[in-house]
Amino acid sequence: MPKTTILLAEDEPALGQIIKESLETRDFNVLLCADGSIAFDTYKKQAPKLLVLDVMMPKKDGFSLAKDIRAIDDSIPIIFLTAKSQTKDVVEGFNIGGNDYLKKPFSMEELIVRINNLLQRTKIQKSSEILKIGSYAFNFPKQTLHFDGNEQQLTHREAHLLFHLVQNKNKVLDRSLILNKLWGTDDFFTARSMDVFITKLRKKLKNDVSIQIINVRGFGYKLVF
């Protein structure tokens, strides 16, 4: 069975080598890059399955690198590594299209668990093609909603949030669980951000009045149709 290739962008040589060697002992193939510019070139040439990006790097920082990659590929999993601890930095990383966020210092076991979870989630999502939501057709891989011949493009986070709602149709989607999965934290700031995304999804689904995203106070949200 071929090894899963991970692109690791980390400008601290010692840390980069430790992460690389630890992942290789878990049977991953690791492409270690010392800055964001090299990482972008390597991504285009090697087509890795997952990205682990340090935020603070020379030539091209992790956020800028993620933006450039998201313009090409909206589905590859991205994990940010950072010494930054402010909530606004975490939120920025997720809004760019990151899937997970690890603050330094971190344990290798935690990184490996998060990598495996993202790879498994991606595998499940790629097996899902067109999902029916009332009169809408939701193409998760392409992040589009179709209704009566018209197409709406969803953002990366809108698509992932809607996917989880559909997977839990008629059930309460636990607020804390989904915040930790998609935003990496369930604090007040990210909870408010999630509310904004729910409002956007309601507007995009408004053409079918049988579809509702219900706020179950104190627990989460429920998609009903």
Side-chain angles (χ1 to χ4, degrees):
M1 185 175 179
K3 294 181 179 181
T4 298
T5 297
I6 294 174
L7 188 151
L8 168 63
E10 172 57 65
D11 68 321
E12 295 180 40
L15 178 58
Q17 196 60 39
I18 289 170
I19 297 173
K20 174 179 168 67
E21 291 175 2
S22 296
L23 292 177
E24 286 175 343
T25 64
R26 301 303 180 97
D27 219 26
F28 290 108
N29 177 41
V30 181
L31 307 170
L32 176 58
C33 303
D35 64 57
S37 181
I38 295 172
F40 189 48
D41 289 339
T42 303
Y43 161 78
K44 290 185 288 186
K45 292 174 184 176
Q46 300 291 334
K49 298 299 183 184
L50 182 141
L51 310 175
V52 179
L53 309 179
D54 183 33
V55 173
M56 300 298 291
M57 290 188 293
K59 297 185 179 180
K60 187 189 290 285
D61 64 77
F63 288 164
S64 298
L65 174 58
K67 285 180 182 178
D68 290 343
I69 290 174
R70 277 285 174 252
I72 301 169
D73 186 339
D74 57 20
S75 63
I76 186 168
I78 298 175
I79 299 176
F80 287 118
L81 305 178
T82 184
K84 293 184 173 183
S85 59
Q86 294 186 21
T87 300
K88 66 181 181 64
D89 296 317
V90 177
V91 173
E92 180 182 357
F94 283 110
N95 286 338
I96 286 168
N99 301 93
D100 212 338
Y101 207 110
L102 267 179
K103 296 177 185 177
K104 298 177 181 178
F106 55 86
S107 73
M108 282 308 307
E109 287 303 316
E110 182 177 8
L111 175 59
I112 290 165
V113 166
R114 290 176 184 242
I115 286 172
N116 285 329
N117 285 344
L118 276 177
L119 290 172
Q120 180 62 26
R121 189 192 313 171
T122 302
K123 182 179 178 181
I124 292 170
Q125 291 168 351
K126 284 187 175 179
S127 68
S128 306
E129 296 182 358
I130 306 300
L131 301 172
K132 295 296 292 180
I133 306 175
S135 299
Y136 285 84
F138 174 34
N139 187 320
F140 177 74
K142 293 186 177 180
Q143 299 182 177
T144 55
L145 266 178
H146 297 261
F147 179 86
D148 196 25
N150 295 313
E151 178 182 288
Q152 297 183 81
Q153 186 67 47
L154 301 180
T155 67
H156 178 79
R157 198 162 304 288
E158 286 172 345
H160 280 75
L161 180 55
L162 183 56
F163 177 82
H164 284 287
L165 285 165
V166 174
Q167 293 299 102
N168 291 272
K169 175 189 172 185
N170 297 325
K171 300 177 184 177
V172 177
L173 182 63
D174 183 89
R175 186 185 188 88
S176 179
L177 179 65
I178 201 63
L179 281 170
N180 279 296
K181 272 192 175 183
L182 299 186
W183 275 265
T185 179
D186 61 353
D187 61 20
F188 174 79
F189 195 85
T190 49
R192 295 296 295 163
S193 178
M194 180 178 171
D195 292 339
V196 171
F197 278 96
I198 289 291
T199 299
K200 289 179 179 179
L201 287 177
R202 284 175 175 146
K203 288 179 180 178
K204 291 184 174 181
L205 294 167
K206 67 181 181 181
N207 290 319
D208 185 340
V209 295
S210 71
I211 301 171
Q212 297 182 71
I213 302 178
I214 300 169
N215 181 10
V216 182
R217 189 173 297 277
F219 294 97
Y221 292 97
K222 179 165 64 173
L223 176 65
V224 178
F225 59 90

